Amino acid sequence: MLTNYHTHCERCKHAEGAVDVYVRQAIIDGFAILGMSDHVPYPDHDYGYRMDFAEIWDYIYDVREAKEKFGARLSVLLGFESEYLRQYRGYYEELLTEYGAEYLVLGQHFFDIGGRWKSSYNISDTAECITYARSVSEALDTGCYSMLAHPDIVGVNCLPWDKNMDKMTDIIIESAIKNHIPIEINANGVRRGLICDDLGQHYMYPHFQFWEKAASAKADVMISSDCHHPTQLNDSDVQKCRDIAANWGLNVIESLPIKNH
């Protein structure tokens, strides 16, 4: 069964294609479930690379219209990908109630450190990866999220894999298992290509050191395109993720336990 719960659209300002274009492509590709999960806008601050807050109801309308129009051919779900910052806890809950989102994906692109938000793409000390992991764990404990996207995204910083990175991995995997939340192998990491360092040739993410621990712990795993163009929905990089999951013996699941469906 082909499914994808991590799908963006042109409203995020760094993707191409409207919602219905992704839905039509999913039908062509033979998908059973397509979850739209564009980056959530925040009501009081523009964190960049996402729709304006004034567009949120337009996005919701687009997904609902696609659901009504194409629902007989595949299941279209309304979701958002969001970071977790403690001060927005009420807002995340409102997304699942007042705004009618059927699920939230945690994509921790930034996190709180010392009272300021820190980009997960701009970490220079592996000790900060432990803070990142603790913010992920706190988010999963809220019960707001159905999936954890790219849990090893800090790999983009090309930091040495040391005891702090091991601790980060343990914190995230233990929290995901405790909260019954699947973690995601993300095709966008594969699209970034391979790097070569002291560990040899590997992806920045999915990082083999992280996923060896996930396999050992038997964590539930989802494979997602994280597509920003309709042609990426089921491209060769998604297939590479499937091959990686098979080679590493990961416990892959195909559908999410949607909290609000």
Side-chain angles (χ1 to χ4, degrees):
M1 182 172 71
L2 289 179
T3 65
N4 191 68
Y5 293 85
H6 195 166
T7 315
H8 296 284
C9 68
E10 62 190 3
R11 289 191 182 276
C12 73
K13 303 173 186 174
H14 61 284
E16 297 179 45
V19 169
D20 70 324
V21 178
Y22 286 88
V23 174
R24 291 177 189 275
Q25 186 63 52
I27 292 170
I28 292 170
D29 289 343
F31 277 74
I33 300 171
L34 181 69
M36 297 301 304
S37 57
D38 217 13
H39 297 279
V40 70
Y42 288 84
D44 59 351
H45 186 82
D46 181 7
Y47 288 95
Y49 294 103
R50 62 197 66 221
M51 70 184 85
D52 296 330
F53 184 70
E55 295 181 82
I56 190 169
W57 284 109
D58 293 328
Y59 166 71
I60 292 169
Y61 174 83
D62 289 346
V63 179
R64 287 176 175 170
E65 183 179 48
K67 183 191 293 281
E68 182 176 343
K69 186 174 182 179
F70 300 103
R73 304 176 72 178
L74 86 166
S75 178
V76 180
L77 299 176
L78 169 62
F80 290 94
E81 180 184 13
S82 91
E83 301 75 17
Y84 177 78
L85 292 176
R86 195 173 298 138
Q87 63 266 35
Y88 294 111
R89 168 73 180 271
Y91 175 53
Y92 303 133
E93 293 173 347
E94 288 176 0
L95 290 170
L96 293 165
T97 53
E98 295 179 23
Y99 291 89
E102 292 166 286
Y103 70 104
L104 299 182
V105 172
L106 176 64
Q108 198 72 329
H109 304 101
F110 49 80
F111 57 99
D112 184 270
I113 186 166
R116 296 184 178 182
W117 68 275
K118 173 80 174 183
S119 171
S120 300
Y121 299 90
N122 188 26
I123 295 174
S124 57
D125 184 341
T126 59
E128 293 181 341
C129 292
I130 296 177
T131 306
Y132 159 80
R134 287 175 175 154
S135 74
V136 167
S137 179
E138 181 179 349
L140 299 185
D141 285 344
T142 66
C144 292
Y145 298 94
S146 295
M147 182 175 76
L148 170 58
H150 40 61
D152 49 346
I153 197 169
V154 295
V156 300
N157 299 287
C158 298
L159 298 168
W161 197 277
D162 59 11
K163 63 181 181 181
N164 289 331
M165 301 296 279
D166 277 331
K167 185 172 182 179
M168 170 200 76
T169 302
D170 291 339
I171 290 170
I172 291 173
I173 292 174
E174 288 171 8
S175 179
I177 291 173
K178 179 186 72 172
N179 288 289
H180 307 288
I181 294 174
I183 54 179
E184 176 202 69
I185 285 194
N186 183 284
N188 254 350
V190 173
R191 294 184 188 111
R192 289 175 179 267
L194 295 163
I195 63 170
C196 190
D197 58 18
D198 292 342
L199 296 173
Q201 193 177 58
H202 62 91
Y203 295 110
M204 291 182 284
Y205 70 97
H207 198 294
F208 72 95
Q209 297 277 58
F210 182 97
W211 292 98
E212 283 179 349
K213 283 179 172 280
S216 179
K218 302 187 186 306
D220 287 341
V221 174
M222 293 289 296
I223 295 170
S224 299
S225 172
D226 191 1
C227 50
H228 289 70
H229 190 281
T231 59
Q232 295 176 336
L233 189 57
N234 192 32
D235 63 7
S236 61
D237 294 311
V238 176
Q239 184 56 52
K240 288 176 184 176
C241 288
R242 296 187 186 111
D243 294 340
I244 288 169
N247 291 338
W248 290 344
L250 294 171
N251 183 37
V252 175
I253 63 174
E254 294 177 335
S255 59
L256 286 181
I258 298 301
K259 298 181 183 298
N260 200 26
H261 186 53

